[in-house]
Amino acid sequence: MHILVTNDDGPPSPHSSPYVHSFVRHLQRAGHTVSVCVPHTQRSWIGKAHMIGQTLKPIYYRPSANSHGEDSEGTTHPRPSPSGDVEEWVLIDGTPASCVQIGLNHFFQDKGPVDLVVSGPNYGRNSTAIFALSSGTLGAALEAAACRHKAIALSFAFFSRNHDPVIIDAACRHSVKVIEYLYKQWPSDGSADLYSVNVPLIEGVETHQTVWTDILQNYWTKGGCFEAVDGSADDEDLEEERIREGPGGEVDDKNKSAAAPKGHTHKHFKWAPRFTDVYKSVEDAGPGSDGWAVKEGQTSCAGDRATKEIKLSIAPSSSTAEVAIRESPKEKTKKSIQAIVSYDDPYVQPLIVSALNAVLPKEAFDLITDISSENVNLSSTLGSSDSNVLQITPYEVIDFEFASSHTRTCLINSYMIRKALIRKHYLSATLDHWAAKNPDSILKKHLRRSEAFEVDYAEFLDDSLVEAFDLRESMDRNAEKEEASEREWWILKPGMSDRGQGIRLFSTMEELQDIFDGWEADRPDSDDEDDEGQGGGADDQDDDGDYITASHLRHFVAQPYIHPPLLLSPGGHKFHIRTYVLCTGSLDVYVYKHMLALFAGKPYTAPWAAPTDIEAFLTNTCLQDSPNENTVQRFWSLPLAKELLERVFTQICGTTGEVFEAAARAMPIHFQTLPNAFEVFGLDYLVDEDGTAWLLEINAFPDFKQTGGDLREIVEGFWRGVVRCAVGPFFGLEGVSAGEGEKGDMVPVRKIDLGRR
C-alpha cells in the first residue's frame, strides 16, 4: 500500500528524531510505497495546530544510506532533484498537521492515492490523555482522519537514551506488522478513524504481547505545568528530553513567594510539569489502559476493543504480522538432527565428530560429513525444510539465508558480524566506546588502548598519524631520550594479517618510517586484493612469506609493548596464554578452563636489544617448525604458584566476559549475535612481570593446530563442552553427557539478554 509518513520530531537526527529513518526503511522492505512529509524541525507538544497567516515553504531532504548513528543525517536542498531519480522527503516549516494536509494534497500524486497515514514513530510515549491530547504525533493522525484517511499514530516509549540499533530495528519490524494487521481489520462501518499505537523500546519487544487498550483518562494536578522562576528559563531542549523519557525526571514545584504582593509580580514561567501524579494515575488505574500496557512492556493499540490480546498471524509473509512461538523441547527431540560437519581442517574435524558422538544420544542425530564445503545450500540438500539442522562449516560456506528463515530449527557455528572483536583496529574502538561510558571497567586494566591508522604508501605515513595523538606524543618523548632502554616501546600490527606477519617493534618516528620504507621496497609489483570479509581463516600466501600485501598496507594498529613479561626463569622464554571461548545465542559466554601456554622459539630479549628478532618476542607457534611439548604446555601445569595461576585465570574470566559485553552493547553494528548461532573464539593473553593478564587479540575460527598432537585432548574436551552448552540446549536434548570431571570445565563468565530471539 501507499503510506504517507509524517511526525512531530522532524527529519532524522540522533538527538531529536532517531527512529523515523529506520522505520521508513522497514516499511519499504515490507513492500510498501512510502512518501515522507515531516516538519523541518522538532514540533512536539503542538497538537493539531496550524500556523494561521503564515506561508509555508518546503525544502527537500535526501536521506543518508545509514539509518542509525551520527552519520544517519542526510542533506537538504532548496529545490527538488530535476531528474527525480533520487529519494526525497519533503520538509515543511509548519506543524505536523500542516504536513499531513500538504503531503496528501500537494505532493506524491505520481505514486497513486494514499492508503494510510502513519504519524511517527514518536520519540517517546503518547499514552494516557495527558500526552495524547497535546501530542503533535496524535495531532497529525487526527488531521489525516479529518481528511477521511485511515491514520495510525505510532510512538516508541523508551526507558533509556542508550538506543541500541538492534532494538530499534526490532521495534520497527514489530510496528510494521502491527500496522499491517490494523489496516487489514479496519472496520468497514466507519467506527474507527485512527489508532494510537505505543511500542515499548525494550529488548524482546517482538515476543511480548500486543493488546487492545483504552486511553487512560487522567488530569493535571493542582499547580499546573509551569513553575514561576526568576530570570530567563532554563534550556528548553533539556526539558524536552526529560519529558520524553518518562518516569524518573519529574520536577517538583516549589513555592518561592513568602507573601501575596499587591498587584502583579513580574515573573518568568518555566515549563515544569509535575509528572509524578500522571504516572501514579497509571498505577492506580491498573490493567486495561495504554499507560499500563506500556509499563508492562506490551505494545498498546488504543481502539474500540478493551484489553484483549491481538492475535497476530504467524504466517511468514511480509503482509501479515508475526509472533514468536517456541516449540516445546519434547516436540523437538522427536526429530533427528541433521548434523553437517565439514570444518575443512583435518586436525579438528575428527575431534568435533568425536565430541558429538560422546555427548549426544546416538539416535538424536544423523552425521553428514561428505558434503562439499564449497557451497552448502541446505534448501536443496535437506529432504525436509523443517528438519533440525546443525551446521559446523567454515564461515564462508555457512548457509546464513537458510538459518535466518529457520531460527527455531537450524543452529550454525558462527555469527554473521563480529568485526568489533576480531579486527585489531575495531577491538581498540570497542575499548574506547565502552570505557567512555564505563570509566571503571576492568578492560582499562587488562586491555591496552591502541592507536589505529590507515596508510597506503610509506611516503604518507606522517600524514596518517595526525590523529594518533598518544602515539605521536610517545615518539616525541622518546626522541629526547638517548638510551633506548628508557623509551616507551610500541608493537606494530597490520590490522588484516595473521600468523605473525608484519609485526614489528619501534620506539621513534625514524624507526617506524624505516619499517614502512622497507615494506615499500620489498613490495611486489602487483598484489591480488586480499579478502576483507568476515571470515577468520588463514591467509592464502605462503607461510614463509613476511611481506605485507596491498590490502594489509592500509589498516594498522600500534599498541604499547608490554615489558617485562612474566618469565618462568631468568633468561627464559616469553609465553602467552591461549584461551578457548564459547559464545552461544544472544548472549552467553563461557571460558574453557583448560588453557594453553604457547612459548616463543628463542629466549626473551628486551625490545631495544633485538627489535627485529621476532622469534624472541613473538609467541606465535606458526613461526616454529612444529608445536611440541616445549612450545605448547598446559597452563595449570606451569611451574608457578597456585595462587598466581588462579589469580590470572580470574582476571581472564572477568576480562573475557566484559569484552564480549562491550562489543555487544557499545558496538552493536559490528558485533551482532544470533539466537540460533554459537561461535568459538581463541583469545590470547600476555601476563606481565606483576602478574597482570593483558588481552592481546581475539581470533574467530582459531587455529586449533597450535595445540599440537600431544595436547589434542584439550581441543576435543573443549568441543565436548561446546556440544554440551550450545548444541544440546538449542535442540532441547535432555541429559546430554559430560565426561568424568568435565561438568565445571566450561566456566560461564557472562549472561546477557540482548533481546534477539
Side-chain angles (χ1 to χ4, degrees), residues 442 446 591 595 635-636 643-657 685 693 747 749:
I442 61 172
H446 298 282
V591 166
M595 303 186 300
F635 168 79
W636 294 101
E643 184 273 339
L644 176 58
L645 293 174
E646 291 177 346
R647 179 157 57 91
V648 168
F649 182 68
T650 299
Q651 295 176 46
I652 288 175
C653 288
T655 303
T656 300
Y685 286 89
V747 180
V749 296

PDB file of all heavy atoms in Angstrom, residues 442 446 591 595 635-636 643-657 685 693 747 749:
ATOM      1  N   ILE A 442      36.899  -3.009  33.963  1.00  0.00           N
ATOM      2  CA  ILE A 442      38.156  -3.754  34.128  1.00  0.00           C
ATOM      3  C   ILE A 442      38.923  -3.831  32.817  1.00  0.00           C
ATOM      4  O   ILE A 442      40.122  -4.152  32.825  1.00  0.00           O
ATOM      5  CB  ILE A 442      37.890  -5.174  34.658  1.00  0.00           C
ATOM      6  CG1 ILE A 442      37.017  -5.970  33.675  1.00  0.00           C
ATOM      7  CG2 ILE A 442      37.240  -5.134  36.018  1.00  0.00           C
ATOM      8  CD1 ILE A 442      36.880  -7.430  34.036  1.00  0.00           C
ATOM      9  N   HIS A 446      43.156  -4.322  31.665  1.00  0.00           N
ATOM     10  CA  HIS A 446      43.615  -5.572  31.048  1.00  0.00           C
ATOM     11  C   HIS A 446      43.628  -5.518  29.519  1.00  0.00           C
ATOM     12  O   HIS A 446      43.823  -6.543  28.871  1.00  0.00           O
ATOM     13  CB  HIS A 446      42.724  -6.727  31.503  1.00  0.00           C
ATOM     14  CG  HIS A 446      42.768  -6.969  32.984  1.00  0.00           C
ATOM     15  ND1 HIS A 446      43.816  -7.628  33.600  1.00  0.00           N
ATOM     16  CD2 HIS A 446      41.911  -6.621  33.983  1.00  0.00           C
ATOM     17  CE1 HIS A 446      43.593  -7.681  34.909  1.00  0.00           C
ATOM     18  NE2 HIS A 446      42.449  -7.078  35.162  1.00  0.00           N
ATOM     19  N   VAL A 591      34.227 -19.583  29.279  1.00  0.00           N
ATOM     20  CA  VAL A 591      35.672 -19.767  29.147  1.00  0.00           C
ATOM     21  C   VAL A 591      35.997 -21.219  29.461  1.00  0.00           C
ATOM     22  O   VAL A 591      35.564 -21.758  30.489  1.00  0.00           O
ATOM     23  CB  VAL A 591      36.432 -18.820  30.102  1.00  0.00           C
ATOM     24  CG1 VAL A 591      37.896 -19.242  30.231  1.00  0.00           C
ATOM     25  CG2 VAL A 591      36.342 -17.384  29.611  1.00  0.00           C
ATOM     26  N   MET A 595      43.391 -24.068  29.709  1.00  0.00           N
ATOM     27  CA  MET A 595      44.046 -23.138  28.795  1.00  0.00           C
ATOM     28  C   MET A 595      45.446 -23.641  28.439  1.00  0.00           C
ATOM     29  O   MET A 595      45.973 -24.556  29.062  1.00  0.00           O
ATOM     30  CB  MET A 595      44.121 -21.751  29.427  1.00  0.00           C
ATOM     31  CG  MET A 595      42.743 -21.195  29.827  1.00  0.00           C
ATOM     32  SD  MET A 595      42.805 -19.487  30.431  1.00  0.00           S
ATOM     33  CE  MET A 595      43.902 -19.641  31.848  1.00  0.00           C
ATOM     34  N   PHE A 635      48.401 -24.722  30.858  1.00  0.00           N
ATOM     35  CA  PHE A 635      48.502 -23.563  31.737  1.00  0.00           C
ATOM     36  C   PHE A 635      48.579 -23.976  33.199  1.00  0.00           C
ATOM     37  O   PHE A 635      49.425 -23.485  33.958  1.00  0.00           O
ATOM     38  CB  PHE A 635      47.286 -22.641  31.505  1.00  0.00           C
ATOM     39  CG  PHE A 635      47.148 -21.564  32.551  1.00  0.00           C
ATOM     40  CD1 PHE A 635      47.936 -20.426  32.511  1.00  0.00           C
ATOM     41  CD2 PHE A 635      46.217 -21.684  33.586  1.00  0.00           C
ATOM     42  CE1 PHE A 635      47.808 -19.433  33.481  1.00  0.00           C
ATOM     43  CE2 PHE A 635      46.078 -20.693  34.550  1.00  0.00           C
ATOM     44  CZ  PHE A 635      46.884 -19.564  34.497  1.00  0.00           C
ATOM     45  N   TRP A 636      47.717 -24.915  33.611  1.00  0.00           N
ATOM     46  CA  TRP A 636      47.656 -25.278  35.020  1.00  0.00           C
ATOM     47  C   TRP A 636      48.838 -26.135  35.465  1.00  0.00           C
ATOM     48  O   TRP A 636      48.997 -26.409  36.655  1.00  0.00           O
ATOM     49  CB  TRP A 636      46.347 -25.998  35.324  1.00  0.00           C
ATOM     50  CG  TRP A 636      45.158 -25.094  35.151  1.00  0.00           C
ATOM     51  CD1 TRP A 636      44.310 -25.051  34.102  1.00  0.00           C
ATOM     52  CD2 TRP A 636      44.716 -24.081  36.066  1.00  0.00           C
ATOM     53  NE1 TRP A 636      43.352 -24.076  34.278  1.00  0.00           N
ATOM     54  CE2 TRP A 636      43.572 -23.470  35.491  1.00  0.00           C
ATOM     55  CE3 TRP A 636      45.153 -23.640  37.309  1.00  0.00           C
ATOM     56  CZ2 TRP A 636      42.882 -22.443  36.114  1.00  0.00           C
ATOM     57  CZ3 TRP A 636      44.461 -22.617  37.941  1.00  0.00           C
ATOM     58  CH2 TRP A 636      43.336 -22.024  37.345  1.00  0.00           C
ATOM     59  N   GLU A 643      48.410 -19.865  43.652  1.00  0.00           N
ATOM     60  CA  GLU A 643      47.683 -18.616  43.875  1.00  0.00           C
ATOM     61  C   GLU A 643      47.803 -17.694  42.667  1.00  0.00           C
ATOM     62  O   GLU A 643      46.832 -17.027  42.279  1.00  0.00           O
ATOM     63  CB  GLU A 643      48.238 -17.931  45.137  1.00  0.00           C
ATOM     64  CG  GLU A 643      47.504 -16.656  45.535  1.00  0.00           C
ATOM     65  CD  GLU A 643      48.056 -15.417  44.823  1.00  0.00           C
ATOM     66  OE1 GLU A 643      49.224 -15.467  44.359  1.00  0.00           O
ATOM     67  OE2 GLU A 643      47.302 -14.429  44.721  1.00  0.00           O
ATOM     68  N   LEU A 644      48.970 -17.655  42.046  1.00  0.00           N
ATOM     69  CA  LEU A 644      49.166 -16.805  40.863  1.00  0.00           C
ATOM     70  C   LEU A 644      48.361 -17.345  39.684  1.00  0.00           C
ATOM     71  O   LEU A 644      47.724 -16.577  38.954  1.00  0.00           O
ATOM     72  CB  LEU A 644      50.651 -16.740  40.506  1.00  0.00           C
ATOM     73  CG  LEU A 644      50.992 -15.963  39.219  1.00  0.00           C
ATOM     74  CD1 LEU A 644      50.492 -14.520  39.309  1.00  0.00           C
ATOM     75  CD2 LEU A 644      52.501 -15.998  38.942  1.00  0.00           C
ATOM     76  N   LEU A 645      48.378 -18.664  39.477  1.00  0.00           N
ATOM     77  CA  LEU A 645      47.608 -19.259  38.379  1.00  0.00           C
ATOM     78  C   LEU A 645      46.119 -18.948  38.527  1.00  0.00           C
ATOM     79  O   LEU A 645      45.449 -18.582  37.555  1.00  0.00           O
ATOM     80  CB  LEU A 645      47.836 -20.763  38.338  1.00  0.00           C
ATOM     81  CG  LEU A 645      49.245 -21.251  37.973  1.00  0.00           C
ATOM     82  CD1 LEU A 645      49.338 -22.769  38.127  1.00  0.00           C
ATOM     83  CD2 LEU A 645      49.608 -20.841  36.559  1.00  0.00           C
ATOM     84  N   GLU A 646      45.615 -19.094  39.742  1.00  0.00           N
ATOM     85  CA  GLU A 646      44.193 -18.823  39.962  1.00  0.00           C
ATOM     86  C   GLU A 646      43.873 -17.342  39.782  1.00  0.00           C
ATOM     87  O   GLU A 646      42.807 -16.986  39.263  1.00  0.00           O
ATOM     88  CB  GLU A 646      43.797 -19.294  41.358  1.00  0.00           C
ATOM     89  CG  GLU A 646      43.825 -20.818  41.504  1.00  0.00           C
ATOM     90  CD  GLU A 646      43.499 -21.273  42.909  1.00  0.00           C
ATOM     91  OE1 GLU A 646      43.514 -20.399  43.817  1.00  0.00           O
ATOM     92  OE2 GLU A 646      43.231 -22.475  43.113  1.00  0.00           O
ATOM     93  N   ARG A 647      44.796 -16.472  40.200  1.00  0.00           N
ATOM     94  CA  ARG A 647      44.552 -15.033  40.035  1.00  0.00           C
ATOM     95  C   ARG A 647      44.541 -14.654  38.562  1.00  0.00           C
ATOM     96  O   ARG A 647      43.693 -13.862  38.127  1.00  0.00           O
ATOM     97  CB  ARG A 647      45.648 -14.249  40.783  1.00  0.00           C
ATOM     98  CG  ARG A 647      45.517 -12.738  40.657  1.00  0.00           C
ATOM     99  CD  ARG A 647      46.212 -12.035  41.813  1.00  0.00           C
ATOM    100  NE  ARG A 647      47.619 -12.399  41.912  1.00  0.00           N
ATOM    101  CZ  ARG A 647      48.607 -11.731  41.309  1.00  0.00           C
ATOM    102  NH1 ARG A 647      48.328 -10.679  40.572  1.00  0.00           N
ATOM    103  NH2 ARG A 647      49.859 -12.113  41.459  1.00  0.00           N
ATOM    104  N   VAL A 648      45.434 -15.224  37.783  1.00  0.00           N
ATOM    105  CA  VAL A 648      45.460 -14.952  36.343  1.00  0.00           C
ATOM    106  C   VAL A 648      44.177 -15.461  35.689  1.00  0.00           C
ATOM    107  O   VAL A 648      43.566 -14.784  34.849  1.00  0.00           O
ATOM    108  CB  VAL A 648      46.700 -15.594  35.697  1.00  0.00           C
ATOM    109  CG1 VAL A 648      46.596 -15.566  34.170  1.00  0.00           C
ATOM    110  CG2 VAL A 648      47.971 -14.884  36.150  1.00  0.00           C
ATOM    111  N   PHE A 649      43.730 -16.651  36.079  1.00  0.00           N
ATOM    112  CA  PHE A 649      42.508 -17.218  35.493  1.00  0.00           C
ATOM    113  C   PHE A 649      41.294 -16.340  35.821  1.00  0.00           C
ATOM    114  O   PHE A 649      40.421 -16.112  34.968  1.00  0.00           O
ATOM    115  CB  PHE A 649      42.296 -18.645  36.000  1.00  0.00           C
ATOM    116  CG  PHE A 649      41.084 -19.314  35.407  1.00  0.00           C
ATOM    117  CD1 PHE A 649      41.040 -19.651  34.066  1.00  0.00           C
ATOM    118  CD2 PHE A 649      39.976 -19.594  36.192  1.00  0.00           C
ATOM    119  CE1 PHE A 649      39.925 -20.265  33.510  1.00  0.00           C
ATOM    120  CE2 PHE A 649      38.849 -20.203  35.654  1.00  0.00           C
ATOM    121  CZ  PHE A 649      38.830 -20.541  34.305  1.00  0.00           C
ATOM    122  N   THR A 650      41.241 -15.846  37.044  1.00  0.00           N
ATOM    123  CA  THR A 650      40.138 -14.956  37.431  1.00  0.00           C
ATOM    124  C   THR A 650      40.134 -13.685  36.585  1.00  0.00           C
ATOM    125  O   THR A 650      39.084 -13.211  36.133  1.00  0.00           O
ATOM    126  CB  THR A 650      40.241 -14.600  38.922  1.00  0.00           C
ATOM    127  OG1 THR A 650      40.150 -15.805  39.700  1.00  0.00           O
ATOM    128  CG2 THR A 650      39.124 -13.651  39.332  1.00  0.00           C
ATOM    129  N   GLN A 651      41.326 -13.118  36.357  1.00  0.00           N
ATOM    130  CA  GLN A 651      41.428 -11.927  35.507  1.00  0.00           C
ATOM    131  C   GLN A 651      40.952 -12.222  34.084  1.00  0.00           C
ATOM    132  O   GLN A 651      40.241 -11.427  33.467  1.00  0.00           O
ATOM    133  CB  GLN A 651      42.874 -11.434  35.469  1.00  0.00           C
ATOM    134  CG  GLN A 651      43.418 -10.931  36.788  1.00  0.00           C
ATOM    135  CD  GLN A 651      44.882 -10.556  36.678  1.00  0.00           C
ATOM    136  OE1 GLN A 651      45.310  -9.879  35.741  1.00  0.00           O
ATOM    137  NE2 GLN A 651      45.678 -11.010  37.646  1.00  0.00           N
ATOM    138  N   ILE A 652      41.331 -13.376  33.566  1.00  0.00           N
ATOM    139  CA  ILE A 652      40.958 -13.742  32.202  1.00  0.00           C
ATOM    140  C   ILE A 652      39.445 -13.912  32.090  1.00  0.00           C
ATOM    141  O   ILE A 652      38.826 -13.461  31.125  1.00  0.00           O
ATOM    142  CB  ILE A 652      41.705 -15.015  31.773  1.00  0.00           C
ATOM    143  CG1 ILE A 652      43.188 -14.693  31.538  1.00  0.00           C
ATOM    144  CG2 ILE A 652      41.079 -15.644  30.529  1.00  0.00           C
ATOM    145  CD1 ILE A 652      44.047 -15.894  31.217  1.00  0.00           C
ATOM    146  N   CYS A 653      38.846 -14.544  33.067  1.00  0.00           N
ATOM    147  CA  CYS A 653      37.391 -14.739  33.028  1.00  0.00           C
ATOM    148  C   CYS A 653      36.667 -13.397  33.062  1.00  0.00           C
ATOM    149  O   CYS A 653      35.725 -13.155  32.283  1.00  0.00           O
ATOM    150  CB  CYS A 653      36.944 -15.613  34.202  1.00  0.00           C
ATOM    151  SG  CYS A 653      37.396 -17.356  34.045  1.00  0.00           S
ATOM    152  N   GLY A 654      37.081 -12.514  33.954  1.00  0.00           N
ATOM    153  CA  GLY A 654      36.424 -11.220  34.053  1.00  0.00           C
ATOM    154  C   GLY A 654      36.598 -10.374  32.803  1.00  0.00           C
ATOM    155  O   GLY A 654      35.648  -9.744  32.319  1.00  0.00           O
ATOM    156  N   THR A 655      37.819 -10.357  32.267  1.00  0.00           N
ATOM    157  CA  THR A 655      38.087  -9.564  31.066  1.00  0.00           C
ATOM    158  C   THR A 655      37.335 -10.113  29.867  1.00  0.00           C
ATOM    159  O   THR A 655      36.784  -9.359  29.053  1.00  0.00           O
ATOM    160  CB  THR A 655      39.599  -9.547  30.779  1.00  0.00           C
ATOM    161  OG1 THR A 655      40.295  -9.042  31.926  1.00  0.00           O
ATOM    162  CG2 THR A 655      39.911  -8.677  29.584  1.00  0.00           C
ATOM    163  N   THR A 656      37.295 -11.435  29.736  1.00  0.00           N
ATOM    164  CA  THR A 656      36.617 -12.049  28.595  1.00  0.00           C
ATOM    165  C   THR A 656      35.129 -11.713  28.603  1.00  0.00           C
ATOM    166  O   THR A 656      34.558 -11.302  27.584  1.00  0.00           O
ATOM    167  CB  THR A 656      36.812 -13.571  28.614  1.00  0.00           C
ATOM    168  OG1 THR A 656      38.211 -13.873  28.533  1.00  0.00           O
ATOM    169  CG2 THR A 656      36.079 -14.231  27.459  1.00  0.00           C
ATOM    170  N   GLY A 657      34.483 -11.885  29.749  1.00  0.00           N
ATOM    171  CA  GLY A 657      33.068 -11.543  29.815  1.00  0.00           C
ATOM    172  C   GLY A 657      32.814 -10.083  29.512  1.00  0.00           C
ATOM    173  O   GLY A 657      31.871  -9.729  28.789  1.00  0.00           O
ATOM    174  N   TYR A 685      46.222 -13.939  25.747  1.00  0.00           N
ATOM    175  CA  TYR A 685      46.569 -13.078  26.876  1.00  0.00           C
ATOM    176  C   TYR A 685      48.065 -13.169  27.146  1.00  0.00           C
ATOM    177  O   TYR A 685      48.672 -14.247  27.010  1.00  0.00           O
ATOM    178  CB  TYR A 685      45.813 -13.492  28.138  1.00  0.00           C
ATOM    179  CG  TYR A 685      44.349 -13.124  28.156  1.00  0.00           C
ATOM    180  CD1 TYR A 685      43.382 -13.980  27.642  1.00  0.00           C
ATOM    181  CD2 TYR A 685      43.932 -11.914  28.716  1.00  0.00           C
ATOM    182  CE1 TYR A 685      42.033 -13.649  27.678  1.00  0.00           C
ATOM    183  CE2 TYR A 685      42.587 -11.577  28.765  1.00  0.00           C
ATOM    184  CZ  TYR A 685      41.638 -12.445  28.240  1.00  0.00           C
ATOM    185  OH  TYR A 685      40.316 -12.109  28.275  1.00  0.00           O
ATOM    186  N   ALA A 693      47.180  -9.958  33.648  1.00  0.00           N
ATOM    187  CA  ALA A 693      46.892 -10.566  32.341  1.00  0.00           C
ATOM    188  C   ALA A 693      46.373  -9.494  31.390  1.00  0.00           C
ATOM    189  O   ALA A 693      45.376  -8.816  31.688  1.00  0.00           O
ATOM    190  CB  ALA A 693      45.876 -11.688  32.493  1.00  0.00           C
ATOM    191  N   VAL A 747      33.322 -22.558  32.024  1.00  0.00           N
ATOM    192  CA  VAL A 747      33.045 -21.597  33.088  1.00  0.00           C
ATOM    193  C   VAL A 747      32.221 -20.439  32.520  1.00  0.00           C
ATOM    194  O   VAL A 747      32.698 -19.700  31.646  1.00  0.00           O
ATOM    195  CB  VAL A 747      34.350 -21.056  33.689  1.00  0.00           C
ATOM    196  CG1 VAL A 747      34.048 -20.056  34.812  1.00  0.00           C
ATOM    197  CG2 VAL A 747      35.217 -22.211  34.203  1.00  0.00           C
ATOM    198  N   VAL A 749      31.003 -16.866  32.122  1.00  0.00           N
ATOM    199  CA  VAL A 749      31.579 -15.591  32.546  1.00  0.00           C
ATOM    200  C   VAL A 749      30.682 -14.402  32.227  1.00  0.00           C
ATOM    201  O   VAL A 749      30.930 -13.296  32.694  1.00  0.00           O
ATOM    202  CB  VAL A 749      32.964 -15.372  31.901  1.00  0.00           C
ATOM    203  CG1 VAL A 749      33.941 -16.426  32.384  1.00  0.00           C
ATOM    204  CG2 VAL A 749      32.870 -15.377  30.377  1.00  0.00           C
TER     205      VAL A 749
END
